[in-house]
Amino acid sequence: DAAPVAVADLVTQVVTDALIDDVHVEGDDLAAMVDADHLSQIFWNLLTNTVKHGAPPVRVVVGNHEGRVVVEVRDAGAGVEASLRDRLFERFGRGRSSRGTGLGLAIARDLARVNGGDLTYRDDDGDGHAFVLELPQA
């Protein structure tokens, strides 16, 4: 059920619903052409994982690139351990300290792809790390 969804507004709603503190939403006021329930589930997963495994503050930066909505979820933590990066989005791929099932990021990526987008992880030495969600712009 793809429809225009105001990305920053949806992130703010997920933060409120999940009772997450210290999340800053920045950037452009853009709409993505996606299923709103799918996008909520993607953000729920990314934000709760970031709060659980990262360090505050959490920043959600909304922008566009070549007609696509690009959302970066960043935190001040150390990032994903190198040994986990290759299987980060695989089902049951999880770190040693995780108590989860290892399904959340796999499902989040699948939902992004079903909606014409993608979910990746970037760990740049000079620019920090981020989960990067790319979606069709409305």
Side-chain angles (χ1 to χ4, degrees):
D1 293 328
V5 175
V7 176
D9 291 346
L10 187 73
V11 171
T12 301
Q13 186 61 51
V14 170
V15 167
T16 300
D17 292 348
L19 302 172
I20 300 172
D21 294 324
D22 209 10
V23 175
H24 307 280
V25 181
E26 309 169 12
D28 301 325
D29 185 20
L30 297 172
M33 184 62 78
V34 295
D35 181 295
D37 291 335
H38 289 173
L39 190 55
S40 291
Q41 189 171 355
I42 293 167
F43 284 132
W44 182 278
N45 181 275
L46 291 177
L47 291 167
T48 57
N49 274 350
T50 300
V51 168
K52 189 184 307 181
H53 301 291
V58 176
R59 293 177 45 224
V60 179
V61 181
V62 181
N64 67 357
H65 180 72
E66 297 180 0
R68 310 274 288 168
V69 175
V70 179
V71 183
E72 294 186 358
V73 178
R74 303 174 153 276
D75 71 275
V80 175
E81 58 191 75
S83 63
L84 179 60
R85 289 183 198 144
D86 288 343
R87 63 184 202 284
L88 187 60
F89 295 101
E90 293 177 6
R91 294 190 186 280
F92 310 110
R94 58 190 189 112
R96 291 179 292 248
S97 64
S98 177
R99 294 181 182 206
T101 61
L103 292 172
L105 288 174
I107 291 169
R109 177 182 262 180
D110 287 348
L111 289 173
R113 289 179 172 175
V114 163
N115 283 277
D118 203 2
L119 177 62
T120 58
Y121 178 77
R122 185 183 69 229
D123 190 11
D124 299 329
D125 292 332
D127 194 28
H129 59 275
F131 283 94
V132 181
L133 176 62
E134 182 181 321
L135 299 164
Q137 189 167 342

